[in-house]
Amino acid sequence: MTTNKELLARREKAVPRGVSTATPIFAARAENAELWDEEGKRFVDFAGGIAVLNTGHRHPKVIAAVQRQLALYTHTAFQVVAYEPYIELAEKLNALAPFKGPAKTILFTTGAEATENAVKLARAATGRSAVIAFAGGFHGRTMMTMALTGKTLPYKKKFGPMPAEVFHLPFPVAEHGVTVAEALRALEFLFRADVEPDRVAAIMIEPVQGEGGFYEAPVDLLVALRKICDQHGILLIADEVQSGFGRTGKMFGIEHSGVEPDMITIAKSMAGGFPLSGIIGRAEIMDAAEPGGLGGTYAGSPVACAAALAVLEVFADEKLLARSNAMGERIKARLTKIAARNDVVPIAAIRGRGAMIGFDIVKSRGAYDADADATKRVTAAALDEGLILLSCGVFSNAIRILVPLTASDAVLDEGLDKLDRALVASRL
């Protein structure tokens, strides 16, 4: 049996340090919301591959669809020889578009590809160059998406200079002392001081910030942005890479607001663990690029398209949107009980739509003083308990729960029990 320690030593020699992992364990196999490491230890998975596994590890319908596709062909490159799974998936995604009117979809491989190409389409459709994003937002690690990302460490350190004409606004979070009014005043200031509105191609926002701490964009902010975009001919792009595919209890997070974006970027859970991403946008915007201007060698892989079609079937058959909401209520109810106790590390700001739940670790009850050190202790203690748990947030003190929507109540409760014990063990 190969041990985690042995594999860790091999990784240190073979893999650059910039490719880091949140845990010192190595996966041997996984099923639904459970994972076993190389030493045979079992873990409840509350990370879900960073929101990739809303349908769980190795969902039988997804695996069966992939196996059927593998028996036919694995690759042709859609730009060379087209194939039906791509078209069928695009048609189904167009029908799910969270806006009125004709929609079109293009498929890629990674979330960063989708986000970067959304900027390209916005520029092509508007003839403008500037893009506005938000502090705390995460949009990827390519040069353009890194520029859009509103967090310097670790994403921008040593990698500058950033691409030009990317601007950031403060993201409204009550616990951080930022209001919607302040964010909108910052936008007005930006228009006066740095970039005129008629040079802005798009405003990009996560309906729920992922890496930024699982904070939901206030509805009144989204409503105001839609009005400003309409007034100045700016496109509104919703980055749904992490919040999409049922995580918030609706297919896409922005649907909770009633605000219609012009494009949404999608990835992560859309293909049940297979690499696939895309953009769903208004047809006239999606047609703005010249033929050949969009695509990629592995973009919209037929194997990943087959997986994604199976994922949509699973959502319908297993009623995963309703399941997401039920799980979220169960998680928040348990966290609320834990927060009232004195034998755990102080937690605050329990929040989330559907099963996209987050909370903060603080130094004292009744005040908001972020405790990044205690947060590290919590994730480490959780791992000792057999729970894979991720932190996030602009102050590195948020805990995010991304348990597969297909997890049973028994496994979910077991994971919450492990989290409970980790919060007790982390109290100094």
Side-chain angles (χ1 to χ4, degrees):
M1 178 180 65
T2 305
T3 67
N4 288 320
K5 186 176 181 180
E6 290 170 337
L7 286 167
L8 188 62
R10 288 169 56 191
R11 187 192 73 178
E12 293 303 313
K13 292 181 179 180
V15 180
R17 69 172 187 167
V19 184
S20 60
T21 53
T23 69
I25 65 173
F26 292 80
R29 63 186 180 92
E31 197 77 30
N32 201 354
E34 300 168 87
L35 181 145
W36 289 261
D37 72 4
E38 289 284 354
E39 298 174 358
K41 183 176 179 179
R42 172 183 170 273
F43 296 85
V44 175
D45 188 357
F46 269 23
I50 318 179
V52 169
L53 300 167
N54 287 355
T55 53
H57 292 275
R58 299 181 63 251
H59 192 287
K61 289 186 177 179
V62 174
I63 298 302
V66 166
Q67 289 173 335
R68 288 193 297 271
Q69 183 59 48
L70 288 173
L72 300 174
Y73 53 92
T74 61
H75 179 72
T76 69
F78 193 76
Q79 292 86 351
V80 179
V81 177
Y83 37 88
E84 199 269 345
Y86 188 121
I87 298 169
E88 182 182 357
L89 180 58
E91 289 171 337
K92 289 184 180 297
L93 293 172
N94 291 342
L96 294 171
F99 50 79
K100 300 181 187 68
K104 289 191 175 184
T105 293
I106 183 170
L107 301 175
F108 299 100
T109 309
T110 69
E113 274 187 283
T115 306
E116 183 130 349
N117 279 279
V119 173
K120 288 164 60 178
L121 280 165
R123 287 175 166 175
T126 64
R128 304 172 182 186
S129 53
V131 185
I132 298 171
F134 284 82
F138 179 81
H139 302 288
R141 291 181 176 89
T142 61
M143 289 304 295
M144 174 54 73
T145 60
M146 182 172 58
L148 288 164
T149 292
K151 188 177 181 181
T152 56
L153 293 174
Y155 304 114
K156 298 184 181 183
K157 187 175 181 179
K158 299 184 179 181
F159 296 142
M162 298 295 118
E165 295 206 296
V166 175
F167 304 90
H168 288 93
L169 302 175
F171 188 82
V173 177
E175 287 79 11
H176 300 169
V178 180
T179 66
V180 171
E182 288 171 327
L184 293 175
R185 278 198 296 272
L187 179 57
E188 292 176 3
F189 178 83
L190 183 67
F191 284 160
R192 291 197 305 271
D194 289 314
V195 58
E196 65 273 25
D198 60 7
R199 203 168 84 240
V200 177
I203 297 177
M204 182 176 293
I205 188 169
E206 293 171 282
V208 182
Q209 286 199 337
E211 176 64 22
F214 275 34
Y215 287 102
E216 185 177 5
V219 172
D220 47 348
L221 173 68
L222 293 171
V223 170
L225 291 178
R226 179 71 272 175
K227 182 177 180 181
I228 291 166
C229 286
D230 289 342
Q231 179 183 354
H232 296 291
I234 299 169
L235 302 182
L236 182 62
I237 303 173
D239 182 338
E240 294 273 4
V241 168
Q242 188 160 164
S243 58
F245 288 86
R247 179 49 57 177
T248 68
K250 290 186 179 290
M251 187 57 72
F252 304 113
I254 200 162
E255 293 180 88
H256 291 283
S257 70
V259 171
E260 296 187 3
D262 298 298
M263 287 186 279
I264 65 170
T265 57
I266 52 177
K268 289 193 180 283
S269 278
M270 70 182 291
F274 289 83
L276 186 67
S277 67
I279 306 168
I280 310 171
R282 300 185 189 278
E284 67 273 16
I285 297 169
M286 301 296 286
D287 282 333
E290 294 297 321
L294 302 172
T297 302
Y298 295 103
S301 155
V303 176
C305 286
L309 288 166
V311 163
L312 293 178
E313 288 184 17
V314 172
F315 264 87
D317 294 345
E318 300 184 19
K319 298 179 173 56
L320 290 190
L321 297 183
R323 176 61 178 159
S324 178
N325 287 309
M327 291 180 80
E329 292 305 313
R330 195 180 189 96
I331 295 167
K332 286 190 285 188
R334 180 67 180 274
L335 290 174
T336 299
K337 290 181 179 179
I338 293 173
R341 292 174 13 212
N342 293 319
D343 63 336
V344 298
V345 65
I347 70 175
I350 298 166
R351 57 191 177 272
R353 296 267 195 174
M356 192 171 183
I357 306 299
F359 62 93
D360 294 336
I361 307 295
V362 294
K363 294 179 179 178
S364 57
R365 289 174 175 78
Y368 193 88
D369 39 6
D371 196 336
D373 290 336
T375 305
K376 292 178 182 177
R377 295 198 301 271
V378 170
T379 56
L383 201 64
D384 290 339
E385 290 286 342
L387 176 68
I388 301 174
L389 190 67
L390 296 177
S391 62
C392 63
V394 294
F395 299 115
S396 301
N397 73 313
I399 296 292
R400 49 179 161 175
I401 297 177
L402 289 164
V403 61
L405 306 180
T406 48
S408 67
D409 284 345
V411 170
L412 175 60
D413 289 342
E414 180 187 359
L416 291 171
D417 288 343
K418 293 175 183 293
L419 174 58
D420 189 329
R421 292 194 292 271
L423 290 167
V424 171
S426 303
R427 180 173 177 262
L428 294 178

